[in-house]
Amino acid sequence: MRGSPLLRTFLILAALVVSGIGFARLTHKGAALTGGEGAEMAGTSESGRIPARVYLTLSHLPGFYALTMGEENVPLVRSADGKLSGTAYIDPENPVVFLKVSPLAKAADDGQRIFARLVVEAEGEATFTHVFDTDGDIDDFVELPF
């Protein structure tokens, strides 16, 4: 019965990791569905907003991430190479990007930093690149020069 507590601990940790992944996927899909990419975004492009393509590269596997431009959530899709990308509209009156990232697994005090590289390609504008860098969760913003 010596292996029994170790086995229980492993099973509990595995259940927590699986639950965390499931929760992250549910909340991300829910945010994308409620973000309103369809007619609402098509209508905003006519009101002076700048259409843009957004790319996000993360240093660690995310447990949770959220990218917001102005007041709208930006739905991101993961490609085969692991990069996240999506389409957004930039409001020239409020060109602020908010990013929240919580890595799935990162050992405490392992000396590694977490980074996220954001690339924004807007029509008629120079490509904008910004790197968010921290030793914990990313919860930061940057103002776009558009």
Side-chain angles (χ1 to χ4, degrees), residues 45-124:
S45 65
E46 296 173 4
S47 64
R49 294 187 177 213
I50 304 167
R53 192 81 183 133
V54 179
Y55 302 94
L56 186 64
T57 306
L58 304 172
S59 63
H60 288 72
L61 185 64
F64 169 81
Y65 62 90
L67 182 69
T68 306
M69 285 187 157
E71 299 293 324
E72 296 178 4
N73 182 43
V74 179
L76 299 174
V77 177
R78 184 178 304 278
S79 64
D81 62 357
K83 293 182 181 177
L84 299 165
S85 63
T87 303
Y89 289 94
I90 302 167
D91 181 1
E93 299 293 320
N94 186 16
V96 179
V97 178
F98 296 92
L99 179 64
K100 291 184 180 188
V101 178
S102 182
L104 184 60
K106 181 179 181 293
D109 300 326
D110 66 356
Q112 294 184 14
R113 295 187 60 81
I114 297 172
F115 74 88
R117 183 178 68 142
L118 174 70
V119 177
V120 180
E121 296 175 348
E123 293 180 11

Side-chain angles (χ1 to χ4, degrees), residues 11-51:
L11 290 175
I12 289 172
L13 286 175
L16 287 173
V17 168
V18 170
S19 298
I21 291 170
F23 181 75
R25 287 185 181 198
L26 282 174
T27 57
H28 177 66
K29 286 182 182 177
L33 292 174
T34 59
E37 184 181 8
E40 179 180 322
M41 296 223 13
T44 58
S45 65
E46 296 173 4
S47 64
R49 294 187 177 213
I50 304 167

Side-chain angles (χ1 to χ4, degrees), residues 2-14:
R2 291 188 115 170
S4 181
L6 182 61
L7 179 62
R8 273 187 266 154
T9 302
F10 177 76
L11 290 175
I12 289 172
L13 286 175

